[in-house]
Amino acid sequence: MTVTAQPQPKVAERSRARAQTGRGARRGAGPVTYVILTCLALFAMGPIVLFFFNALKTTNEYATSSLSLPTSWQWSNFIDAWQIANMGAGLVNSVIIVVGTVVLTCLVAGCAAYALARLEILGANAFISYVLIVSSLPGQMFLVPLFSMWSKVGLYDTQLGLIIIYCGLFSPFATLLLRSFMIGIPREFEEAARVDGASELQLLFRIVLPNAWPGFLTIALTTGLSAYNEFLFAVTFIQNPQRQPVSLAFFTFQQGFTQNYNLISAAGIIMILPMLVLFLLLQRRFIDGIAATGLGGS
């Protein structure tokens, strides 16, 4: 005879009540959440959409109203802005600067974060305090000494000099962020690898880095956006128009065409579109990476 175990009444009632409570909570929070997210999306995307509509207007339409929809869609404004502002060369220069900054920052911050999170280093806490203090200092403090130093060593008016400056600006924050990711990685993985005879370099490249790649993706995104949008150091250390990033190309174009706001809007859309698309793509991959590695929690 086969005996089928029946669930206890109290346990069954408790599970049923928990399920009903969860469904009710989700139903109650759903509309409020959607309304809040919709308002935030409109607040974030509204200026960009208005900027896009102004880029498609004629000069007379923009002078009449900058908040209305365009009556005649002037797609040629984007072509004119691309050619007159030399946006192509500016975007290529920005890609070189952004990629170089991201690679160098990830390399420097990754090594420093691994040393602070995993190695027994004398004075590590003092160094972390130093990094915190340095990351809070404004970059304008270093303009004059950097200008003098870069002029002497031949890095002035070069993209390499600007990449090194950006790496120095963004590495402290990147180091602290990566350290927090590496501390969250269980040490049992490394201990098991050490039992198998793995060296410190093998632990770094085969255990720590694969599990910390969401952190690298985060600092790559934040560093790339900061380097792409940075203006002060770029306008100070880059004078050759052939080496200027897109932010300087847009600034020069805006100064020369102060009355043609529709072309300025078109050039602005061209400037922000690559980073907007890249941000959306990397944001999704970043969330997927956290879920895949289990660092996001349950």
Side-chain angles (χ1 to χ4, degrees), residues 47-69:
I48 299 178
V49 173
L50 181 62
F51 208 42
F52 175 74
F53 286 150
N54 289 334
L56 295 174
K57 296 178 181 179
T58 62
T59 305
N60 294 332
E61 287 179 339
Y62 184 88
T64 302
S65 176
S66 60
L67 301 178
S68 61
L69 294 175

Short mmCIF file of all heavy atoms in Angstrom, two decimals, residues 47-69:
data_model
loop_
_atom_site.label_atom_id
_atom_site.label_comp_id
_atom_site.label_asym_id
_atom_site.label_seq_id
_atom_site.Cartn_x
_atom_site.Cartn_y
_atom_site.Cartn_z
N PRO A 47 13.97 66.71 -22.45
CA PRO A 47 14.88 67.68 -23.09
C PRO A 47 15.54 67.15 -24.36
O PRO A 47 15.74 67.90 -25.31
CB PRO A 47 15.91 67.97 -22.00
CG PRO A 47 15.22 67.64 -20.72
CD PRO A 47 14.33 66.49 -21.04
N ILE A 48 15.86 65.85 -24.38
CA ILE A 48 16.50 65.28 -25.57
C ILE A 48 15.51 65.26 -26.74
O ILE A 48 15.87 65.57 -27.88
CB ILE A 48 17.02 63.87 -25.26
CG1 ILE A 48 18.07 63.93 -24.15
CG2 ILE A 48 17.61 63.23 -26.51
CD1 ILE A 48 18.62 62.58 -23.74
N VAL A 49 14.26 64.89 -26.44
CA VAL A 49 13.25 64.87 -27.50
C VAL A 49 13.01 66.29 -28.03
O VAL A 49 12.90 66.51 -29.25
CB VAL A 49 11.94 64.25 -26.97
CG1 VAL A 49 10.83 64.37 -28.01
CG2 VAL A 49 12.17 62.79 -26.62
N LEU A 50 12.92 67.26 -27.14
CA LEU A 50 12.74 68.66 -27.57
C LEU A 50 13.94 69.13 -28.39
O LEU A 50 13.79 69.83 -29.39
CB LEU A 50 12.55 69.54 -26.35
CG LEU A 50 12.31 71.04 -26.61
CD1 LEU A 50 11.02 71.24 -27.41
CD2 LEU A 50 12.24 71.80 -25.29
N PHE A 51 15.13 68.75 -27.97
CA PHE A 51 16.36 69.07 -28.71
C PHE A 51 16.30 68.48 -30.11
O PHE A 51 16.71 69.11 -31.11
CB PHE A 51 17.55 68.53 -27.93
CG PHE A 51 18.82 69.29 -28.15
CD1 PHE A 51 18.84 70.67 -28.20
CD2 PHE A 51 20.02 68.62 -28.29
CE1 PHE A 51 20.01 71.37 -28.39
CE2 PHE A 51 21.20 69.31 -28.48
CZ PHE A 51 21.20 70.69 -28.54
N PHE A 52 15.80 67.25 -30.22
CA PHE A 52 15.70 66.58 -31.51
C PHE A 52 14.70 67.28 -32.43
O PHE A 52 14.96 67.47 -33.62
CB PHE A 52 15.30 65.12 -31.29
CG PHE A 52 15.05 64.36 -32.55
CD1 PHE A 52 16.10 63.96 -33.38
CD2 PHE A 52 13.75 64.03 -32.93
CE1 PHE A 52 15.86 63.25 -34.54
CE2 PHE A 52 13.51 63.33 -34.09
CZ PHE A 52 14.57 62.93 -34.91
N PHE A 53 13.56 67.68 -31.89
CA PHE A 53 12.56 68.38 -32.70
C PHE A 53 13.09 69.73 -33.18
O PHE A 53 12.83 70.14 -34.32
CB PHE A 53 11.27 68.56 -31.91
CG PHE A 53 10.48 67.30 -31.75
CD1 PHE A 53 9.68 67.09 -30.63
CD2 PHE A 53 10.53 66.32 -32.72
CE1 PHE A 53 8.95 65.93 -30.49
CE2 PHE A 53 9.80 65.14 -32.59
CZ PHE A 53 9.01 64.95 -31.47
N ASN A 54 13.82 70.45 -32.32
CA ASN A 54 14.39 71.72 -32.74
C ASN A 54 15.43 71.54 -33.84
O ASN A 54 15.63 72.43 -34.66
CB ASN A 54 15.02 72.43 -31.54
CG ASN A 54 13.99 72.96 -30.57
OD1 ASN A 54 12.85 73.24 -30.95
ND2 ASN A 54 14.36 73.06 -29.31
N ALA A 55 16.12 70.39 -33.84
CA ALA A 55 17.10 70.13 -34.88
C ALA A 55 16.47 69.92 -36.24
O ALA A 55 17.15 70.04 -37.27
CB ALA A 55 17.94 68.91 -34.51
N LEU A 56 15.17 69.62 -36.28
CA LEU A 56 14.48 69.36 -37.53
C LEU A 56 13.68 70.57 -38.03
O LEU A 56 12.96 70.46 -39.02
CB LEU A 56 13.53 68.17 -37.37
CG LEU A 56 14.21 66.82 -37.08
CD1 LEU A 56 13.18 65.76 -36.79
CD2 LEU A 56 15.08 66.40 -38.26
N LYS A 57 13.80 71.70 -37.38
CA LYS A 57 13.06 72.89 -37.77
C LYS A 57 13.90 73.80 -38.66
O LYS A 57 15.13 73.70 -38.68
CB LYS A 57 12.62 73.68 -36.53
CG LYS A 57 11.64 72.96 -35.62
CD LYS A 57 11.31 73.80 -34.40
CE LYS A 57 10.35 73.08 -33.48
NZ LYS A 57 10.04 73.88 -32.27
N THR A 58 13.20 74.67 -39.35
CA THR A 58 13.88 75.74 -40.05
C THR A 58 14.15 76.88 -39.08
O THR A 58 13.67 76.89 -37.95
CB THR A 58 13.02 76.25 -41.21
OG1 THR A 58 11.79 76.78 -40.69
CG2 THR A 58 12.70 75.12 -42.19
N THR A 59 14.94 77.85 -39.53
CA THR A 59 15.27 78.97 -38.66
C THR A 59 14.03 79.77 -38.28
O THR A 59 13.88 80.21 -37.13
CB THR A 59 16.30 79.88 -39.34
OG1 THR A 59 17.43 79.11 -39.73
CG2 THR A 59 16.74 81.00 -38.42
N ASN A 60 13.10 79.95 -39.24
CA ASN A 60 11.88 80.69 -38.95
C ASN A 60 10.98 79.95 -37.97
O ASN A 60 10.36 80.57 -37.09
CB ASN A 60 11.12 80.96 -40.25
CG ASN A 60 11.89 81.91 -41.16
OD1 ASN A 60 12.67 82.75 -40.70
ND2 ASN A 60 11.67 81.78 -42.47
N GLU A 61 10.88 78.63 -38.13
CA GLU A 61 10.06 77.85 -37.20
C GLU A 61 10.62 77.90 -35.79
O GLU A 61 9.87 78.00 -34.82
CB GLU A 61 9.99 76.40 -37.67
CG GLU A 61 9.11 76.19 -38.90
CD GLU A 61 9.09 74.75 -39.34
OE1 GLU A 61 10.04 74.01 -38.98
OE2 GLU A 61 8.14 74.35 -40.04
N TYR A 62 11.93 77.82 -35.66
CA TYR A 62 12.54 77.89 -34.33
C TYR A 62 12.33 79.28 -33.71
O TYR A 62 12.08 79.39 -32.51
CB TYR A 62 14.03 77.58 -34.42
CG TYR A 62 14.71 77.53 -33.07
CD1 TYR A 62 14.76 76.34 -32.36
CD2 TYR A 62 15.29 78.66 -32.51
CE1 TYR A 62 15.37 76.27 -31.12
CE2 TYR A 62 15.91 78.61 -31.27
CZ TYR A 62 15.95 77.42 -30.58
OH TYR A 62 16.54 77.36 -29.36
N ALA A 63 12.41 80.33 -34.53
CA ALA A 63 12.19 81.68 -34.01
C ALA A 63 10.74 81.88 -33.59
O ALA A 63 10.46 82.62 -32.64
CB ALA A 63 12.58 82.72 -35.05
N THR A 64 9.81 81.19 -34.26
CA THR A 64 8.40 81.32 -33.91
C THR A 64 8.09 80.63 -32.58
O THR A 64 7.46 81.20 -31.69
CB THR A 64 7.53 80.73 -35.02
OG1 THR A 64 7.81 81.42 -36.25
CG2 THR A 64 6.05 80.87 -34.68
N SER A 65 8.55 79.38 -32.44
CA SER A 65 8.32 78.63 -31.21
C SER A 65 9.34 77.50 -31.12
O SER A 65 9.50 76.72 -32.06
CB SER A 65 6.90 78.05 -31.19
OG SER A 65 6.71 77.24 -30.05
N SER A 66 10.01 77.44 -29.99
CA SER A 66 10.99 76.38 -29.77
C SER A 66 10.39 75.16 -29.07
O SER A 66 11.11 74.17 -28.84
CB SER A 66 12.16 76.91 -28.92
OG SER A 66 11.69 77.36 -27.66
N LEU A 67 9.11 75.22 -28.72
CA LEU A 67 8.46 74.12 -28.02
C LEU A 67 7.46 73.36 -28.88
O LEU A 67 6.89 72.36 -28.41
CB LEU A 67 7.73 74.64 -26.76
CG LEU A 67 8.60 75.36 -25.73
CD1 LEU A 67 7.74 75.86 -24.58
CD2 LEU A 67 9.69 74.43 -25.20
N SER A 68 7.25 73.79 -30.10
CA SER A 68 6.27 73.14 -30.97
C SER A 68 6.95 72.08 -31.83
O SER A 68 8.18 72.02 -31.94
CB SER A 68 5.58 74.17 -31.85
OG SER A 68 6.53 74.82 -32.69
N LEU A 69 6.10 71.25 -32.45
CA LEU A 69 6.62 70.24 -33.37
C LEU A 69 6.99 70.89 -34.70
O LEU A 69 6.38 71.89 -35.11
CB LEU A 69 5.57 69.15 -33.60
CG LEU A 69 5.20 68.29 -32.40
CD1 LEU A 69 4.07 67.34 -32.77
CD2 LEU A 69 6.41 67.51 -31.91
#
